[in-house]
Amino acid sequence: MMSENILDKQYDPGKIEGKIYEKWEKGGYFKPEINKDGKPFTIIMPPPNITGKLHIGHAFDDTLQDILIRYKRMKGYAALWVPGEDHASIATEVKVVDKIKEETGKTKQDLGREKFLKEAWNWAKTYRKEIANQVRKLGSSCDWSRERFTMDEGVSEAVKETFIRLYEKGLIYRGNRIINWCPSCKTALSDAEVEYEEQAGHLWHIKYPIKDSDEFVVIATTRPETMLGDTAVAINPNDERYFHLKGKSLILPLVNKEIPIVFDEYVDKEFGTGCVKITPCHDPNDFEVGLRHDLEQIRVFNDDGTINELGGKYQGLTTKQARKEIVKDLEELGLLEKIEDHMHNVGTCYRCSTTVEPLTSLQWFVKMEPLAKPAIDAVNEKEVNFVPDRFKKIYFNWMENIKDWCISRQLWWGHRIPAYYCEECGEIVVSKEMPAKCKKCGCTSFKQDEDALDTWFSSALWPFSTLGWPKETEDLKKFYPNDVLVTGFDIIFFWVARMVFSGIEQMGEPPFHHVYIHGLVRDSQGRKMSKSLGNGIDPLEVIDKYGADVLRFSLVTGNKAGNDTRWQESKVEANRNFANKINNAARFILMNLEDFDENKKADLSKLHNTDKWIISRTNQMVKEVTANIEKYEFGIAAEKLYTFIWNEFCDLYIEFAKPSLNSDNKEDRFNTQYTLNLVFMNILKMLHPYMPFITEHIYSFMPGREDMLIAAEYPEYKEEYDFPKEEEDITIIVEALRTVRNARANMDIPPSKKADGYIFPSSKEMKEVFSSSKDILIKLASFKDINFIDGEYDKEESLCVVVEGGKIFIPMGELIDREKEIERLKNEEKKLNGEISRLEKKLSNKNFTDKAPEKVVEGEREKLKKYQSLMEEVKESLIKLK
């Protein structure tokens, strides 16, 4: 026998969630071996950076993945979700440097590489553990026995193997090329790590004198300080204005150095004066022009963003200081023609927001063109599919315009480049270990490259390095390629593209079949969450207050793939109420199942129409929710479940069930118990991927349960549970109930005031439908009794409610205060008149209808129609009352 108090009156997640998670983890339920004979299904977690706590975006990302992995596990798949963390070289090094400075006042150079790395590894150990515990609190059912880190031994082996393979194929090279340099982080950045923002600046027009002539050309630049490194001025070869300058040279102002005039198609003759200064070491386009014309490369900036010794009297100044002095000197020399205001895009470091300096530097690069082509083909040929499809445009745009990837970083924290330099002859040897002897000169003294690899180099290998590659492990054979990658749109080029070309290059096939793209979690006003606005949401605080289930359900409901979602406190409160609603329903069900024999099966043909209706509706819900999840429509499925559970199951069916549960007829009682148990078990199973804790907790009390809910079989659509006739009939009754209730509510008639009801059915069949559910209508629509009539009710003034299958008349004498209702309707009429007048005036204004967007105009027309329809209803009601 079960006690009434098996479930608390209010669900308390704080008492329950931790214990349930521990049971899951200790029981091995997160491992694919739980369904060892099932078809493999793999998700690899995008590894969060070890730079601090998880934010609401991580919670959103992990929730989507957990919904999918729990669903697939329940569908019988050998479902593997691999968790892990990213070492995040630049971001983590900055944090560790700041920590050391704060605690000891020392720099990383003061500590030396070995001691600094020890500090960094301590940081990694602390934050990896913290992040893993936070992921657990979300309810994420990932396989912790397979947890990985982008700098663990296995991934390090994969990184070295990849570097060596690409180097031996000629796809990795070392060269002096133009790169993005962050003067603050003092490291190279890839193109993907530069963020562009529009800034107000100036365009300086500077005169460059032609040698041995009184003539000059005018160039326009946004960065006068780079002229110290100019090695030419370029002109379009088709620009007739400057044909006479062929073979001539210029005198570079301030530097007083002779530089050539070169003719190059790169120059847009329509822009400015058609003359462009060329600074190969400080502009990527100029670098390419310089290579074509064999121009000298003069780098005038130091790594910290100051002017170096080649800058003459400006040496030691910051770029901003140098700009100010150079402009002043040009003005004094009469070489500054004019200054214009100018808006332009400025590149900034994605980590510290410092303005990035393009400059030439000796770095390591990956040759991208041979790698990009098969990665583009994989998406074109639908080997890799984006959900939604529109996001492949971002992917193509990046891949089709890709430049060689600068992979070296001037950092200590990260994968150190596996390149060794002979200290005698300078020979470069790329290998996993330090060479014993130089093959070129026989020297035994080598020095390893000081730089670390770009974080994304190791992250690009994540779908297969986590499964054991380069070793031929059983996991690699079984779980590669991954099935789905769940990630945000902001790292399509950072990470997704690099994983695709790395997977094809190293494994011979793309790393995943589907890429599910989600948007950002924004605040209730639609703003991006940021520290400066103070509008961030800490998911752990939400969990502490409401529980993980409520957090998860609030993040997912109302969201569509690729779209941002808004964080609204009202939605969180509503979902907390939803959790309590489910808990209360469970209490009621369990109290009424105390004498239920779960081993006995009901004869479905003998069930009440209401029982058949809810079984049929649940069956339909199984079909729809399954289809939605298979199409990655997680938000749509969540909303359907919410509406079905709250409105149809809790508010209606439980009320329908009460008379049978309280009946002396044992068969009736058993049939309804059977229905309650069957339907509620399926509800718990469908809801489990979304709200795993409360569903697991309730399931543990349910009769007929097997093992834990996490391992239960997901419901399947069954034809035997299809009752179209009963579903249609009860749906008519349900709609009738809603219509009557709404009509009474509109007239402010409380449920406690009852009157007889008169039904004029539209056919004999409809009379049978209403007759069979007469008791339900009396109880739930607040009638004293119901009578069937053969025509319109005309004995006294009544409210007529038109429903499918007939009309329902409710005599009003006993229900309303006539004068009060007339006053209410007149006020409503006055309000509607005002709205209709305003909209008619607005829509007759051609200024509005011609200039406003069509969608806005159409919206106003729809509002007018709605108000006009409401006005007709109000007038009709007033006529009846008068």
Side-chain angles (χ1 to χ4, degrees):
M1 293 288 285
M2 296 183 183
S3 161
E4 184 180 335
N5 298 314
I6 40 174
L7 284 176
D8 290 340
K9 285 188 178 178
Q10 206 152 8
Y11 174 66
D12 184 351
K15 287 180 182 175
I16 291 159
E17 291 184 349
K19 291 174 185 174
I20 288 176
Y21 196 92
E22 195 178 342
K23 276 186 186 177
W24 287 332
E25 193 176 345
K26 283 186 176 175
Y29 290 99
F30 300 158
K31 297 182 179 184
E33 289 78 11
I34 203 88
N35 293 328
K36 63 180 188 327
D37 298 325
K39 185 181 174 185
F41 180 88
T42 323
I43 300 177
I44 306 290
M45 181 184 289
N49 295 346
I50 53 158
T51 49
K53 292 199 299 185
L54 294 185
H55 55 67
I56 199 74
H58 289 119
F60 185 33
D61 197 77
D62 281 2
T63 296
L64 293 168
Q65 292 173 81
D66 197 43
I67 290 167
L68 197 49
I69 210 77
R70 285 180 182 272
Y71 166 78
K72 290 290 183 179
R73 189 183 290 121
M74 292 176 80
K75 292 290 273 184
Y77 285 79
L80 172 63
W81 183 17
V82 179
E85 304 82 30
D86 195 339
H87 68 284
S89 56
I90 293 179
T92 304
E93 182 149 319
V94 167
K95 293 271 189 184
V96 176
V97 165
D98 288 347
K99 178 177 177 281
I100 291 166
K101 190 174 182 181
E102 193 178 305
E103 291 177 357
T104 67
K106 292 181 178 180
T107 64
K108 72 172 189 178
Q109 285 78 14
D110 292 336
L111 252 67
R113 188 170 197 134
E114 195 178 322
K115 285 184 179 176
F116 173 80
L117 287 176
K118 190 178 178 183
E119 289 288 331
W121 275 107
N122 285 339
W123 175 283
K125 186 180 177 183
T126 300
Y127 281 94
R128 281 190 67 199
K129 188 176 179 181
E130 192 171 312
I131 286 167
N133 286 335
Q134 289 167 7
V135 171
R136 284 177 168 91
K137 283 202 84 172
L138 289 167
S140 303
S141 59
C142 36
D143 184 353
W144 293 105
S145 69
R146 287 172 165 94
E147 183 184 3
R148 302 304 298 268
F149 179 49
T150 52
M151 274 183 65
D152 68 26
E153 195 177 325
V155 177
S156 294
E157 182 68 16
V159 166
K160 289 176 190 174
E161 182 73 24
T162 301
F163 190 98
I164 291 164
R165 286 187 183 190
L166 292 175
Y167 180 78
E168 287 174 351
K169 284 182 77 171
L171 294 174
I172 282 183
Y173 64 92
R174 190 173 185 241
N176 203 45
R177 294 179 62 86
I178 195 94
I179 53 101
N180 305 296
W181 182 266
C182 176
S184 176
C185 297
K186 293 187 179 61
T187 182
L189 302 173
S190 70
D191 289 345
E193 293 168 317
V194 179
E195 294 177 345
Y196 290 89
E197 55 185 51
E198 198 169 48
Q199 292 181 5
H202 297 94
L203 204 56
W204 286 270
H205 293 254
I206 304 168
K207 297 174 183 177
Y208 278 45
I210 296 166
K211 186 185 176 188
D212 301 329
S213 165
D214 292 336
E215 199 180 349
F216 55 81
V217 295
V218 177
I219 63 92
T221 180
T222 57
R223 304 185 69 211
E225 65 276 14
T226 63
M227 68 184 290
L228 301 173
D230 284 359
T231 57
V233 165
I235 294 167
N236 190 295
N238 301 311
D239 196 334
E240 295 176 3
R241 293 173 294 175
Y242 301 111
F243 280 177
H244 67 291
L245 295 180
K246 283 186 179 177
K248 295 196 176 182
S249 55
L250 302 164
I251 301 300
L252 179 61
L254 305 180
V255 181
N256 294 320
K257 173 185 174 181
E258 185 178 338
I259 59 172
I261 295 172
V262 298
F263 288 82
D264 197 283
E265 297 276 356
Y266 154 70
V267 182
D268 179 0
K269 62 182 183 179
E270 305 301 325
F271 181 77
T273 63
C275 299
V276 178
K277 64 190 280 304
I278 301 298
T279 321
C281 282
H282 297 289
D283 183 278
N285 294 314
D286 293 4
F287 179 77
E288 297 299 330
V289 173
L291 290 179
R292 285 196 289 275
H293 297 276
D294 198 24
L295 298 176
E296 186 183 2
Q297 293 187 1
I298 301 173
R299 177 177 155 174
V300 292
F301 295 164
N302 292 314
D303 288 352
D304 62 359
T306 58
I307 307 297
N308 66 20
E309 69 281 359
L310 297 177
K313 72 173 194 173
Y314 307 105
Q315 182 181 355
L317 299 179
T318 65
T319 50
K320 283 186 180 177
Q321 291 167 339
R323 179 183 298 177
K324 192 175 177 183
E325 292 299 315
I326 285 167
V327 169
K328 181 183 161 192
D329 291 346
L330 287 169
E331 205 164 13
E332 286 175 2
L333 290 167
L335 295 175
L336 188 64
E337 186 177 74
K338 63 177 177 178
I339 305 172
E340 292 178 318
D341 289 336
H342 180 66
M343 293 297 291
H344 62 137
N345 275 334
V346 176
T348 59
C349 174
Y350 81 118
R351 280 298 170 199
C352 68
S353 299
T354 301
T355 298
V356 166
E357 294 289 352
L359 48 81
T360 50
S361 180
L362 187 61
Q363 302 285 346
W364 288 90
F365 296 86
V366 175
K367 201 178 284 183
M368 284 309 308
E369 196 177 336
L371 295 169
K373 189 183 181 308
I376 291 168
D377 292 343
V379 175
N380 271 326
E381 291 162 16
K382 299 193 180 300
E383 292 178 72
V384 175
N385 300 280
F386 280 84
V387 182
D389 188 62
R390 68 179 186 269
F391 282 98
K392 69 183 181 189
K393 287 180 185 174
I394 296 173
Y395 175 88
F396 285 140
N397 185 52
W398 176 253
M399 295 297 271
E400 286 165 0
N401 298 288
I402 203 160
K403 294 176 183 173
D404 286 357
W405 174 17
C406 177
I407 54 170
S408 44
R409 298 288 179 271
Q410 288 60 57
L411 302 165
W412 287 353
W413 175 243
H415 292 279
R416 196 166 173 182
I417 290 174
Y420 301 86
Y421 306 99
C422 174
E423 297 203 78
E424 186 66 38
C425 70
E427 176 74 0
I428 300 175
V429 179
V430 169
S431 71
K432 291 182 182 179
E433 306 294 338
M434 186 176 284
K437 188 177 180 181
C438 178
K439 289 180 181 177
K440 192 173 180 182
C441 72
C443 176
T444 56
S445 183
F446 279 86
K447 186 179 180 184
Q448 188 175 356
D449 195 300
E450 291 287 327
D451 291 349
L453 283 163
D454 178 10
T455 297
W456 300 100
F457 192 91
S458 52
S459 299
L461 316 180
W462 197 238
F464 49 94
S465 65
T466 49
L467 298 173
W469 188 87
K471 292 177 183 172
E472 281 289 327
T473 63
E474 288 305 310
D475 273 6
L476 190 65
K477 289 175 195 170
K478 186 171 183 177
F479 296 109
Y480 187 90
N482 308 164
D483 288 87
V484 185
L485 172 75
V486 177
T487 192
F489 65 84
D490 52 335
I491 56 172
I492 289 173
F493 43 80
F494 268 125
W495 192 39
V496 179
R498 287 169 176 164
M499 282 192 286
V500 175
F501 71 66
S502 298
I504 293 170
E505 174 65 20
Q506 304 305 335
M507 297 294 297
E509 59 181 322
F512 26 70
H513 303 304
H514 295 94
V515 183
Y516 177 92
I517 301 291
H518 60 75
L520 301 173
V521 182
R522 296 184 178 273
D523 71 7
S524 57
Q525 297 174 49
R527 300 175 301 176
K528 190 174 178 179
M529 292 186 182
S530 68
K531 286 180 183 174
S532 59
L533 288 172
N535 61 347
I537 299 292
D538 182 345
L540 300 174
E541 287 180 10
V542 178
I543 290 171
D544 287 343
K545 188 175 179 182
Y546 297 103
D549 288 334
V550 171
L551 168 70
R552 291 163 63 111
F553 210 69
S554 301
L555 286 168
V556 174
T557 43
N559 182 254
K560 289 182 181 176
N563 291 1
D564 293 343
T565 188
R566 289 194 183 191
W567 181 261
Q568 293 169 316
E569 203 67 30
S570 58
K571 193 199 276 190
V572 183
E573 292 283 355
N575 288 323
R576 192 258 309 272
N577 294 341
F578 180 53
N580 280 327
K581 185 91 170 173
I582 295 162
N583 191 70
N584 291 339
R587 278 171 54 81
F588 171 81
I589 291 162
L590 289 166
M591 278 189 279
N592 284 282
L593 293 182
E594 289 184 346
D595 58 340
F596 174 61
D597 182 358
E598 64 261 31
N599 298 311
K600 185 179 168 187
K601 192 168 167 60
D603 180 346
L604 298 180
S605 66
K606 292 183 179 178
L607 298 182
H608 283 295
N609 281 2
T610 49
D611 296 334
K612 289 179 181 178
W613 165 75
I614 196 65
I615 288 172
S616 196
R617 287 293 301 125
T618 308
N619 201 33
Q620 187 60 33
M621 199 53 50
V622 167
K623 191 180 193 177
E624 289 181 23
V625 168
T626 300
N628 290 140
I629 294 176
E630 291 290 348
K631 289 188 284 185
Y632 305 106
E633 295 168 347
F634 305 117
I636 294 172
E639 285 180 343
K640 283 181 180 176
L641 283 170
Y642 180 96
T643 305
F644 169 71
I645 293 166
W646 191 297
N647 296 347
E648 294 185 62
F649 182 73
C650 294
D651 283 359
L652 290 170
Y653 179 69
I654 284 179
E655 291 303 318
F656 295 167
K658 284 177 181 176
S660 295
L661 291 172
N662 295 325
S663 168
D664 292 332
N665 185 319
K666 288 186 178 179
E667 186 180 18
D668 268 5
R669 177 172 164 78
F670 172 76
N671 285 344
T672 301
Q673 286 177 319
Y674 178 85
T675 303
L676 269 175
N677 191 52
L678 173 70
V679 169
F680 195 56
M681 285 288 252
N682 281 340
I683 283 172
L684 292 175
K685 288 171 185 177
M686 284 191 283
L687 194 58
H688 178 73
Y690 291 88
M691 303 179 83
F693 290 110
I694 189 170
T695 52
E696 186 72 81
H697 176 61
I698 293 169
Y699 183 81
S700 67
F701 296 105
M702 294 299 291
R705 68 187 179 277
E706 294 176 10
D707 199 0
M708 292 188 81
L709 180 56
I710 190 173
E713 191 178 331
Y714 197 83
E716 296 278 348
Y717 172 83
K718 294 180 180 178
E719 280 190 23
E720 66 186 283
Y721 291 155
D722 239 354
F723 298 104
K725 174 72 171 65
E726 289 82 353
E727 190 177 338
E728 187 182 337
D729 289 354
I730 299 300
T731 299
I732 289 169
I733 299 301
V734 167
E735 287 309 309
L737 272 172
R738 283 185 184 139
T739 309
V740 170
R741 282 171 166 179
N742 289 341
R744 288 175 59 106
N746 288 339
M747 298 185 78
D748 290 330
I749 303 168
S752 57
K753 281 195 172 183
K754 299 179 187 290
D756 286 342
Y758 296 86
I759 297 178
F760 172 29
S762 59
S763 66
K764 186 181 174 184
E765 289 77 14
M766 282 298 108
K767 184 175 181 180
E768 286 176 13
V769 169
F770 287 117
S771 295
S772 64
S773 299
K774 181 179 171 181
D775 291 346
I776 290 171
L777 286 167
I778 290 170
K779 182 183 177 188
L780 300 183
S782 300
F783 287 119
K784 286 179 182 174
D785 195 8
I786 285 177
N787 304 287
F788 292 93
I789 54 178
D790 297 327
E792 301 280 331
Y793 182 82
D794 57 2
K795 289 182 183 176
E796 59 180 292
E797 184 189 310
S798 65
L799 172 66
C800 174
V801 178
V802 180
V803 297
E804 187 182 347
K807 292 179 180 179
I808 300 176
F809 297 91
I810 309 168
M812 301 302 291
E814 300 174 39
L815 296 178
I816 63 165
D817 180 327
R818 182 188 298 273
E819 295 307 316
K820 193 175 175 184
E821 183 59 17
I822 289 171
E823 187 185 350
R824 186 186 75 79
L825 287 167
K826 281 186 173 177
N827 286 335
E828 186 67 18
E829 185 181 30
K830 187 179 176 183
K831 183 180 164 189
L832 285 167
N833 261 326
E835 287 297 327
I836 290 166
S837 174
R838 180 184 68 79
L839 285 166
E840 284 176 339
K841 189 177 177 183
K842 192 174 185 180
L843 288 164
S844 64
N845 182 348
K846 277 188 74 63
N847 239 355
F848 170 70
T849 54
D850 292 347
K851 291 180 182 177
E854 192 178 331
K855 198 174 178 181
V856 173
V857 176
E858 193 51 44
E860 295 297 271
R861 287 193 182 115
E862 286 300 319
K863 274 189 208 170
L864 179 60
K865 280 183 197 171
K866 178 184 154 191
Y867 290 142
Q868 287 169 335
S869 174
L870 286 169
M871 178 64 91
E872 283 175 26
E873 288 178 24
V874 167
K875 284 181 175 176
E876 196 178 315
S877 297
L878 277 167
I879 289 166
K880 282 183 181 178
L881 287 168
K882 287 174 182 176

